[in-house]
Amino acid sequence: MTNEQLDQLQSNLRGKLIKPADEEYESARKVYNGMIDKRPDAVAQCADVADVIACVNFARENKLLLAVRGGGHNAGGLGVADGALVIDLSHMKGIHVDPVAKTALVQGGCLLKEVDHATNAIGMAVPSGIFGTTGVGGITLGGGLGHLTRKYGLSIDNLLEASVVLADGSYVKASATENPDLFWALRGGGGNFGVVVSFLFKLNPAGMIYGGPVLYDISEAKEVMTWYRDFILNAPENVNGFFAFLTVPPFAPFPEHLHLKKMCGVVWCCTGPAEKSEAALKPMRDFKTAALDWCGPMPLPALQTMFDPLMPPGLQWYWKADFVNELSDEAIDLHVKHGNKMPTPLSTMHLYPVNGAASRIDNSDTPWNYRHANWAEVIVGIDPDPANREAITNWSREYFNELHPHSAGGAYVNFMMDEGEERIRATYGDNYERLAAIKAKYDPNNLFRVNQNIKPAPIEVKVAFAEPPGVHAN
Ligand SMILES: Cc1cc2nc3c(=O)[nH]c(=O)nc-3n(C[C@H](O)[C@H](O)[C@H](O)COP(=O)(O)OP(=O)(O)OC[C@H]3O[C@@H](n4cnc5c(N)ncnc54)[C@H](O)[C@@H]3O)c2cc1C
């Protein structure tokens, strides 16, 4: 972009346009994953919808690469790109909770902890991810799995309406009644269809929950994972628990005798009255005494932000993921083998249950094509030191390669790195062609392509041939 172009764009914005020579450029170009080192041409810190429209028009008219950044958490760093104009929504943080309609209108730059703070004030929640620092934009457009999935479904199952700036610069609503094809595509199709400047969510009762981590020594992993598999597949839907391999951090409040010990365990989150939740988890406590049991009543935002301080921005992250239908004994043995080999103290593996409310929606009702998988698995190598990049990447890949034959085929888009078209197609399966057709309608020139990209379907060219006068077939 030339200086004249940048000046012209800035003159149309209320927010700041940050250029490579600016002091803030280094922080503005960074995303959560420290492995991502992209240098955009400019970052537009949009202040309002008009700024977003100005940026979309400017990028399209000047044929610029356009990236959109919500919370910046994407594993593959898809909120930024080399040489791009970045629409940074992080200054658009309005949240309006309607206690009568039981809805929350949330701007595209909000983080989950900001939404939880606003909705918890009336004892309600939007079901979403397990970290407070994740962006509402990316997580919702990809699906939104977390502590409330078994009870209330994915974030997209609670989305009522989205306000969207399209590739042609128009500003539209998408809901069950307005642009329903766009609304369908937004519920899992990622940032392919436009910039979602606000989301209207249905709220669900979840002020206080009964939950927290319950950990066991990794030597007991086979037994714990087998018990967990059998329990969660039949547990009441108010009981959510994701299985994890992890290493206990070496500082308070973690008990000293567990510091830096490799563990396995489950992070529980039950909605409803505490006594009922405690009773529902009695089989867990009867099964085995845990090395650490921090499961009890707490406000949902306390659980949602519990792990935030352990994973500050800027660490190196490498992810591999799959959906899983069946956790066979053989697959459990492989998990135990690789869980024992976690290369660094922050590396982890999570299995998030999908069975429950999310599975009662048909695969074709939204693009999210693995409604009947039982888990979304994610293997994540993490470390602050770039020198360990290879170690965390190799561990994640080797673990994934051995488990992949036991998977359902595709992966949850929000847990994928930049892995190419084949993996994207595997993820959307039968829904891919419909997504491609909707992409062709709303973004035919693929302006929004810094994402898990769905290529616009080729437009069918229908040519009508007029019959020459006097020539008739007999
Ligand atoms: C620590 C951590 C914990 C996580 N936990 C969970 C979890 O519990 N559950 C879960 O489901 N996922 C989880 N994720 C994955 C997360 O859903 C994805 O990383 C998601 O892409 C993050 O969204 P974001 O807005 O922060 O990211 P960004 O990097 O800003 O954006 C991601 C993608 O979405 C697009 N996008 C973002 N906002 C908009 C918008 N408003 N309009 C159009 N396009 C947009 C971007 O262009 C980009 O392609 C976690 C990730 C991390 C790093």
Side-chain angles (χ1 to χ4, degrees), residues 32 67-75 77-79 89 108 128-131 133-139 141 144-146 190-191 194-197 199 311 317 319 352 412 414-415 450-452:
Y32 185 78
V68 180
R69 180 203 160 122
H73 254 214
N74 189 264
L78 295 172
L89 299 170
S128 202
I130 62 143
F131 263 70
T133 50
T134 304
V136 146
I139 195 169
L141 295 170
L145 269 172
V195 186
V196 180
V197 290
F199 299 86
M311 310 275 192
W317 287 65
W319 308 50
Y352 293 90
Y412 172 37
N414 276 345
F415 289 163
V450 182
N451 44 41
Q452 300 293 357

Side-chain angles (χ1 to χ4, degrees), residues 234-307:
N234 299 299
E237 285 186 6
N238 70 310
V239 175
N240 203 95
F242 73 85
F243 182 92
F245 285 121
L246 52 87
T247 305
V248 176
F251 43 76
F254 300 96
E256 218 173 311
H257 69 281
L258 296 181
H259 285 182
L260 291 177
K261 273 199 181 286
K262 284 183 178 156
M263 313 284 281
C264 67
V266 181
V267 181
W268 298 102
C269 177
C270 307
T271 47
E275 320 76 67
K276 263 181 111 173
S277 301
E278 193 168 13
L281 287 182
K282 187 170 178 299
M284 175 269 286
R285 292 203 165 106
D286 289 347
F287 152 67
K288 183 177 267 300
T289 303
L292 179 149
D293 183 341
W294 281 356
C295 190
M298 66 179 90
L300 179 66
L303 182 60
Q304 290 279 96
T305 52
M306 192 176 270
F307 309 111

Side-chain angles (χ1 to χ4, degrees), residues 300-365:
L300 179 66
L303 182 60
Q304 290 279 96
T305 52
M306 192 176 270
F307 309 111
D308 291 0
L310 303 177
M311 310 275 192
L315 305 175
Q316 308 279 306
W317 287 65
Y318 188 86
W319 308 50
K320 291 299 285 181
D322 262 324
F323 283 109
V324 175
N325 288 334
E326 196 200 339
L327 201 49
S328 65
D329 293 343
E330 198 189 335
I332 288 179
D333 286 340
L334 291 170
H335 273 293
V336 173
K337 171 179 156 189
H338 291 281
N340 271 287
K341 291 189 194 171
M342 282 182 290
T344 57
L346 290 174
S347 294
T348 187
M349 189 288 297
H350 293 176
L351 274 172
Y352 293 90
V354 180
N355 70 329
S359 67
R360 281 197 296 279
I361 292 172
D362 243 38
N363 278 346
S364 60
D365 286 349

Side-chain angles (χ1 to χ4, degrees), residues 65-395:
L65 182 63
L66 185 65
V68 180
R69 180 203 160 122
H73 254 214
N74 189 264
L78 295 172
V80 65
D82 283 330
L85 167 64
V86 176
I87 293 182
D88 177 357
L89 299 170
S90 65
H91 290 242
M92 292 174 61
K93 287 202 183 285
I95 302 174
H96 177 76
V97 173
D98 183 332
V100 178
K102 297 196 169 42
T103 57
L105 182 62
V106 175
Q107 277 196 308
C110 291
L111 304 181
L112 297 187
K113 64 181 175 188
E114 294 153 355
V115 180
D116 287 332
H117 175 78
T119 59
N120 192 257
I122 61 161
M124 308 292 274
V126 174
S128 202
I130 62 143
F131 263 70
T133 50
T134 304
V136 146
I139 195 169
T140 303
L141 295 170
L145 269 172
H147 291 306
L148 302 176
T149 306
R150 295 193 76 241
K151 176 70 178 166
Y152 297 125
L154 305 170
S155 306
I156 48 172
D157 303 336
N158 294 273
L159 183 66
L160 301 173
E161 190 178 276
S163 299
V164 193
V165 176
L166 299 176
D168 65 3
S170 57
Y171 180 38
V172 302
K173 285 207 165 149
S175 69
T177 51
E178 271 182 89
N179 299 306
D181 54 351
L182 178 61
F183 186 56
W184 180 86
L186 291 174
R187 286 174 294 158
N192 275 285
F193 303 93
V195 186
V196 180
V197 290
S198 59
F199 299 86
L200 181 70
F201 291 106
K202 173 182 156 204
L203 295 178
N204 302 275
M208 288 291 290
I209 54 93
Y210 186 95
V214 177
L215 305 181
Y216 311 83
D217 193 86
I218 203 159
S219 61
E220 301 175 310
K222 184 178 167 82
E223 203 188 339
V224 174
M225 208 168 188
T226 307
W227 174 85
Y228 163 78
R229 169 194 68 192
D230 298 340
F231 176 77
I232 203 71
L233 290 179
N234 299 299
E237 285 186 6
N238 70 310
V239 175
N240 203 95
F242 73 85
F243 182 92
F245 285 121
L246 52 87
T247 305
V248 176
F251 43 76
F254 300 96
E256 218 173 311
H257 69 281
L258 296 181
H259 285 182
L260 291 177
K261 273 199 181 286
K262 284 183 178 156
M263 313 284 281
C264 67
V266 181
V267 181
W268 298 102
C269 177
C270 307
T271 47
E275 320 76 67
K276 263 181 111 173
S277 301
E278 193 168 13
L281 287 182
K282 187 170 178 299
M284 175 269 286
R285 292 203 165 106
D286 289 347
F287 152 67
K288 183 177 267 300
T289 303
L292 179 149
D293 183 341
W294 281 356
C295 190
M298 66 179 90
L300 179 66
L303 182 60
Q304 290 279 96
T305 52
M306 192 176 270
F307 309 111
D308 291 0
L310 303 177
M311 310 275 192
L315 305 175
Q316 308 279 306
W317 287 65
Y318 188 86
W319 308 50
K320 291 299 285 181
D322 262 324
F323 283 109
V324 175
N325 288 334
E326 196 200 339
L327 201 49
S328 65
D329 293 343
E330 198 189 335
I332 288 179
D333 286 340
L334 291 170
H335 273 293
V336 173
K337 171 179 156 189
H338 291 281
N340 271 287
K341 291 189 194 171
M342 282 182 290
T344 57
L346 290 174
S347 294
T348 187
M349 189 288 297
H350 293 176
L351 274 172
Y352 293 90
V354 180
N355 70 329
S359 67
R360 281 197 296 279
I361 292 172
D362 243 38
N363 278 346
S364 60
D365 286 349
T366 68
W368 221 83
N369 196 42
Y370 283 87
R371 294 283 181 171
H372 306 301
N374 281 316
W375 290 275
E377 167 198 291
V378 62
I379 301 157
V380 204
I382 311 171
D383 198 66
D385 188 351
N388 285 330
R389 184 181 176 144
E390 208 176 308
I392 59 174
T393 304
N394 289 346
W395 172 74

